[in-house]
Amino acid sequence: MTIDFQNESGDQLGIDLYEIAETVINGTLDYLNCPYEIYVGLLVTDNEEIHRLNLEHRQVDRPTDVLSFPMADFETPGDFGWLEEEAGDDCFDPETGELVLGDIVISADKVLEQAAAFGHSVKREYAFLIAHSMLHLVGYDHMTEADAAAMEQMQKEIMESLHITRENPA
């Protein structure tokens, strides 16, 4: 697994950002039974930069907590079976053979704001945003109530499997 990690926020949030990202990405891939080694880009930035990206890519004129940029268009969320036959080499790094899932951008400012607002740890908020974004990278979304409920349940199960819950944030 390759995580192209960059922290441009100037803030470490008081936690090991890379180690937590690696744990959550691996935990999410295990939960999804992903059969491939993967590549994910992860940028931790500030509200100003994520606002710019949100406006540029989604035409939403405000900062957000996390943005996901999937590289593959999963017809069925979380179904990796089609990749080799239908996507061919387009989704795989030719040098490493890794499945290129895409990029995640997280606002450190929003991590701090939301952790305080929701009454849980910075680690829990950061980890949750990574799990949430990883599900987006493999085709899950929350556009309908049913999809949102399914995604919320998966996020809860992933976080519980990692022992990073609201009740046990450490």
Side-chain angles (χ1 to χ4, degrees):
M1 174 174 72
T2 300
I3 302 171
D4 182 5
F5 177 80
Q6 297 177 43
N7 181 7
E8 296 178 355
S9 73
D11 191 344
Q12 287 297 320
L13 302 174
I15 55 177
D16 187 332
L17 298 174
Y18 182 85
E19 181 182 317
I20 295 165
E22 185 177 48
T23 298
V24 175
I25 291 169
N26 271 323
T28 304
L29 295 170
D30 288 348
Y31 177 85
L32 295 169
N33 297 310
C34 178
Y36 301 106
E37 288 295 315
I38 61 95
Y39 167 94
V40 172
L42 173 59
L43 170 64
V44 179
T45 191
D46 57 21
N47 275 350
E48 183 179 334
E49 178 61 10
I50 209 163
H51 183 168
R52 185 189 71 73
L53 292 169
N54 204 21
L55 183 58
E56 179 181 332
H57 294 281
R58 297 178 60 230
Q59 292 70 54
V60 177
D61 192 11
R62 63 176 170 77
T64 188
D65 52 4
V66 64
L67 292 170
S68 308
F69 298 99
M71 291 299 290
D73 187 18
F74 284 75
E75 290 180 28
T76 303
D79 177 13
F80 297 93
W82 66 278
L83 287 168
E84 288 182 48
E85 291 179 16
E86 293 181 38
D89 294 335
D90 292 345
C91 295
F92 294 91
D93 184 305
E95 292 180 23
T96 65
E98 293 172 320
L99 170 61
V100 179
L101 284 181
D103 296 315
I104 299 169
V105 181
I106 294 176
S107 168
D109 297 326
K110 288 290 184 183
V111 169
L112 292 171
E113 291 170 24
Q114 291 175 179
F118 299 141
H120 54 246
S121 72
V122 169
K123 176 182 177 180
R124 194 269 177 202
E125 183 64 20
Y126 177 69
F128 176 83
L129 293 176
I130 294 169
H132 179 87
S133 192
M134 286 294 295
L135 292 174
H136 280 311
L137 293 185
V138 298
Y140 289 98
D141 214 327
H142 41 79
M143 299 304 284
T144 67
E145 284 186 37
D147 289 346
M151 197 166 166
E152 286 172 21
Q153 183 62 35
M154 286 184 284
Q155 292 164 164
K156 180 181 178 191
E157 290 172 6
I158 291 164
M159 297 299 286
E160 286 175 351
S161 75
L162 299 171
H163 307 290
I164 306 172
T165 61
R166 288 185 172 143
E167 296 79 30
N168 180 22

